[in-house]
Amino acid sequence: MMNRALSFFGLGYVGLTSAVCFASRGFKVIGYDADPQKIELINSGKPPFYEPQVEDLLGEALGSGLLSCTHSPAGAVEGSHITFITVGTPSNLDGSINLEQVKSASKQIGQALSGKGDYHLVVVRSTVTPGTTENVVKPIIEGYSGRRCGEGWGLCFNPEFLKEGSAVRDTFNPDRIVIGEFDRTSGDMLEELYRGFYGDEMPKTIRTSPINAELVKYANNAFLAMKISFINMMANLCQKLPEADVEVIAEGIGLDKRIGPLFLKAGAGWGGSCLRKDLEAILDYALKNHVELPLVEATLKVNNAQPYRLVELAKGLIGELDGKRISVLGLAFKPETDDMRDAVSIKIVKRLLEEGARVAVYDPKAMENARRIFGESVEYSGSIEDCLRGSECALIVTEWDEFRKLTSQDYIKLMKIPAVVDGRRIYDAESFSSKLRFAAVGLGEKRYYNPALAVNAIITKGDGILLVRRGIEPFKGLWSLPGGFIEYDETVEDSLIREVKEETGLDIKPIRVLGVYSQPTRSPTKHVVTICYQCSILSGEVKPSNENIEARFFAVENLPEQLAFDHLTIIRDHLKSKR
Ligand code: UDX
């Protein structure tokens, strides 16, 4: 059978991606968009956004003559058998859905249908709240066409589940197709279109009512967002528990087939144009129907706070941020896109600026969009190297591949003080934290044993020499003591000194315990503690002094890997060099 000709109203991610994919399989496609500039851009071969493969497919589609974009909505309907509505459905200020573009497209399609002879199918693909296809789209088209739905034209709601960054791949390999149909003829026509498009690889198809199809889309996005918020919630718990790691928790629960491994990546939170908008819209819709959706509310709540965790981790690593140069690696809401809509990077950068940091930003694709958002408030780096150079802390906000490739040595080489907050869990925590100051979302520390951290804490506080001992038995009970600076008894002190003496053979004696550097936790009653000792090392030459702090600090900054946790060796070497 001859391929149906298609038209798309709205040439954003969904519309343009679908259009070029259909054209690539021999369908004639006409695009229309209310923005004339977008039409010109697309007709010249340039997608108005970055999305892998779209530019190539667009070039082919224009070259083959199968795709054209028109300024005439009537012409688009006239020249096609099936029209997809793929316009945006943004949020109003109160979170409710804004249907203006859907209404306007419906009106244009209705007007065009009034004079059209052959049967025409209208497919709503924009995400719309339950009942919209029936109560908004259908009456508008009926009103402007003068024809009832089913009389010469049909209507379906057909949700899309495309992810930005993999929209083309997702279009060719969907998990399922959901068709919400007003009558059998409409549903048959749409299913037949997809059979023509997918051939032998036709995905499982659900045929149902429009309202069910509309609900599937919202339930889908709400569930995905809930999964991520769930694992982020667990990450925040893990972060406060020594030796805990959310990655292992995610793997552990993900292997349960009832849960599944996808969308369990803890990080800085979810962003993007869809999830928040859709969750807020369904929440508003449900409330108007006198139903509460507490899990959706909690999902949003967890996500609103999540980006700030990275800033807290940065402060845990380097102390106050005021006046310090901080590098933000990654601005797009996810890799492989230049999209910054609702990106967590926006919240993070704003908070860093509020804290007085000097912020340098870098993203492989999103710099242009970033300029529109941050204006003159940040430094836009031309490369990763420029961004890191002279910086005191780097935050991984988006997990681009080129950031994954960086080694701890790259950071050490470029930064003034190498400190990394891995907000997307792209680095090997064990290896990184042995070489530089390192913190990661959902990683309970180990890092409190890192001498570099403790040195930093003490330097920040402006105190004296410290000695941090890793894994000493009496210290283990001290991890979660009531808030504030803890009291400790002499047995702890004695045990530390004994061990140091045994291991180094040096005669050392503590002269003063400086106190306990305490990391406030989310729980008001718990503090995670790092014990900081001031010691006098009675070898004759070395006395506690500012000079020694400098020396030790320097030694830790340039720590070779094998010495990472071995402060005793540092002391020994330091003493040798003084002799
Ligand atoms: C989402 C839905 O996945 C898609 O089905 C729907 O059609 C549109 O909304 P999208 O927003 O493009 O797609 O991207 P998605 O891959 O879902 O990622 C959303 C956000 O969640 C990103 O910021 C991403 O970094 C974050 N995310 C995703 C996580 O933090 N952890 C995960 O495990 C997965």
Side-chain angles (χ1 to χ4, degrees):
M1 189 200 310
M2 201 194 76
N3 277 343
R4 303 278 187 189
L6 315 175
S7 52
F8 284 85
F9 274 56
L11 299 173
Y13 281 96
V14 175
L16 183 58
T17 304
S18 310
V20 297
C21 288
F22 271 106
S24 77
R25 292 198 172 165
F27 289 80
K28 182 187 164 209
V29 181
I30 306 173
Y32 167 75
D33 197 285
D35 178 353
Q37 279 180 340
K38 222 182 231 182
I39 295 177
E40 293 309 321
L41 205 62
I42 295 171
N43 275 338
S44 74
K46 293 200 175 53
F49 50 83
Y50 172 75
E51 179 67 32
Q53 300 182 59
V54 167
E55 188 159 1
D56 291 349
L57 289 177
L58 175 62
E60 287 167 23
L62 292 170
S64 66
L66 283 168
L67 174 73
S68 60
C69 294
T70 173
H71 292 279
S72 158
V77 174
E78 200 53 49
S80 60
H81 304 105
I82 301 177
T83 296
F84 286 91
I85 298 179
T86 47
V87 294
T89 49
S91 298
N92 291 315
L93 282 177
D94 63 357
S96 63
I97 191 166
N98 181 325
L99 291 170
E100 287 315 309
Q101 296 177 49
V102 172
K103 288 178 184 167
S104 153
S106 304
K107 177 181 165 185
Q108 290 168 326
I109 293 165
Q111 285 168 334
L113 284 181
S114 66
K116 194 168 187 257
D118 57 343
Y119 185 88
H120 198 91
L121 177 66
V122 180
V123 182
V124 180
R125 206 138 159 77
S126 305
T127 299
V128 291
T129 39
T132 301
T133 310
E134 168 144 33
N135 302 318
V136 179
V137 176
K138 183 163 145 284
I140 293 177
I141 298 181
E142 285 180 332
Y144 282 94
S145 67
R147 295 152 74 178
R148 290 176 62 82
C149 181
E151 291 174 3
W153 69 280
L155 182 61
C156 290
F157 177 79
N158 171 221
E160 51 75 26
F161 304 98
L162 309 184
K163 299 186 293 297
E164 286 182 29
S166 59
V168 169
R169 201 172 59 224
D170 293 348
T171 303
F172 287 126
N173 308 288
D175 291 337
R176 75 312 207 178
I177 291 170
V178 180
I179 296 176
E181 61 203 43
F182 276 88
D183 54 28
R184 183 158 282 282
T185 313
S186 318
D188 284 349
M189 188 164 172
L190 189 55
E191 185 170 342
E192 180 210 311
L193 169 74
Y194 283 125
R195 288 198 181 281
F197 182 73
Y198 290 111
D200 294 341
E201 286 168 6
M202 180 71 179
K204 182 163 172 49
T205 302
I206 296 174
R207 302 259 306 250
T208 184
S209 63
I211 198 161
N212 275 342
E214 288 163 334
L215 278 164
V216 165
K217 171 68 188 194
Y218 279 101
N220 207 80
N221 271 355
F223 200 90
L224 290 174
M226 187 177 70
K227 254 185 127 175
I228 307 169
S229 279
F230 178 85
I231 204 68
N232 283 337
M233 175 187 80
M234 294 307 296
N236 297 334
L237 175 61
C238 287
Q239 222 159 278
K240 298 301 166 199
L241 309 176
E243 310 292 331
D245 184 352
V246 74
E247 296 267 281
V248 181
I249 312 307
E251 191 187 2
I253 64 173
L255 285 168
D256 187 322
K257 290 194 181 62
R258 295 166 298 177
I259 295 175
L262 302 178
F263 273 64
L264 284 181
K265 184 85 185 162
W270 42 265
S273 65
C274 291
L275 296 185
R276 168 177 312 285
K277 165 179 84 73
D278 292 351
L279 265 62
E280 285 178 353
I282 196 65
L283 210 53
D284 173 79
Y285 173 83
L287 282 177
K288 284 178 181 149
N289 285 280
H290 312 291
V291 179
E292 288 185 4
L293 304 178
L295 289 180
V296 176
E297 282 175 40
T299 298
L300 284 161
K301 186 179 168 198
V302 170
N303 200 59
N304 285 340
Q306 195 63 19
Y308 303 123
R309 308 277 174 194
L310 267 63
V311 180
E312 287 165 24
L313 286 175
K315 289 168 83 173
L317 283 187
I318 66 162
E320 291 307 314
L321 306 179
D322 196 17
K324 293 180 180 160
R325 181 184 160 92
I326 308 293
S327 314
V328 172
L329 293 181
L331 299 168
F333 86 97
K334 59 189 257 187
E336 298 304 328
T337 176
D338 63 353
D339 196 347
M340 281 188 66
R341 284 177 291 174
D342 223 347
V344 295
S345 62
I346 301 172
K347 279 187 171 179
I348 292 170
V349 167
K350 288 195 173 152
R351 176 60 61 88
L352 291 171
L353 291 170
E354 280 163 21
E355 298 271 348
R358 293 180 293 120
V359 181
V361 300
Y362 174 74
D363 187 283
K365 295 279 182 224
M367 296 303 267
E368 221 175 289
N369 286 331
R371 276 176 212 277
R372 274 180 230 127
I373 295 166
F374 301 129
E376 301 297 305
S377 62
V378 301
E379 179 188 316
Y380 299 95
S381 308
S383 64
I384 299 177
E385 289 74 15
D386 283 352
C387 191
L388 291 179
R389 201 163 287 122
S391 167
E392 295 186 44
C393 188
L395 273 59
I396 306 294
V397 177
T398 315
E399 63 276 34
W400 285 96
D401 269 350
E402 52 191 280
F403 304 152
R404 282 179 202 279
K405 288 180 193 141
L406 295 174
T407 64
S408 48
Q409 277 314 311
D410 294 323
Y411 287 102
I412 292 167
K413 206 169 60 206
L414 290 161
M415 294 176 73
K416 182 174 166 195
I417 298 172
V420 175
V421 174
D422 185 355
R424 294 290 179 185
R425 297 305 302 266
I426 60 175
Y427 295 127
D428 180 65
E430 199 71 38
S431 140
F432 264 67
S433 52
S434 69
K435 291 174 197 146
L436 42 75
R437 285 180 232 184
F438 182 79
V441 165
L443 187 70
E445 294 303 329
K446 285 214 180 97
R447 75 188 157 98
Y448 297 107
Y449 294 122
N450 186 331
L453 279 175
V455 168
N456 181 59
I458 231 71
I459 296 289
T460 309
K461 282 158 64 81
D463 291 330
I465 286 183
L466 89 160
L467 186 59
V468 185
R469 183 68 182 110
R470 184 179 180 220
I472 291 180
E473 208 46 51
F475 282 21
K476 287 196 175 141
L478 296 180
W479 286 116
S480 300
L481 290 171
F485 282 35
I486 61 156
E487 298 291 330
Y488 39 80
D489 60 33
E490 279 178 9
T491 51
V492 173
E493 208 166 289
D494 287 349
S495 137
L496 174 75
I497 300 314
R498 200 171 46 248
E499 286 215 22
V500 174
K501 276 183 183 170
E502 278 167 15
E503 285 194 40
T504 60
L506 296 170
D507 182 18
I508 72 164
K509 187 178 100 192
I511 52 172
R512 185 161 70 93
V513 176
L514 284 174
V516 177
Y517 180 68
S518 145
Q519 290 272 348
T521 68
R522 217 115 344 272
S523 156
T525 56
K526 301 258 173 98
H527 273 62
V528 176
V529 292
T530 301
I531 314 294
C532 304
Y533 270 78
Q534 182 181 34
C535 292
S536 100
I537 304 172
L538 299 179
S539 63
E541 288 95 338
V542 183
K543 293 274 186 301
S545 73
N546 283 338
E547 189 202 326
N548 291 341
I549 300 170
E550 295 286 330
R552 192 71 44 77
F553 189 50
F554 182 76
V556 171
E557 286 303 325
N558 294 288
L559 216 50
E561 187 178 1
Q562 70 275 18
L563 298 185
F565 287 113
D566 193 351
H567 62 276
L568 300 176
T569 315
I570 302 170
I571 295 169
R572 200 162 37 226
D573 290 353
H574 185 71
L575 291 175
K576 272 190 209 144
S577 73
K578 288 275 173 185
R579 272 188 193 124

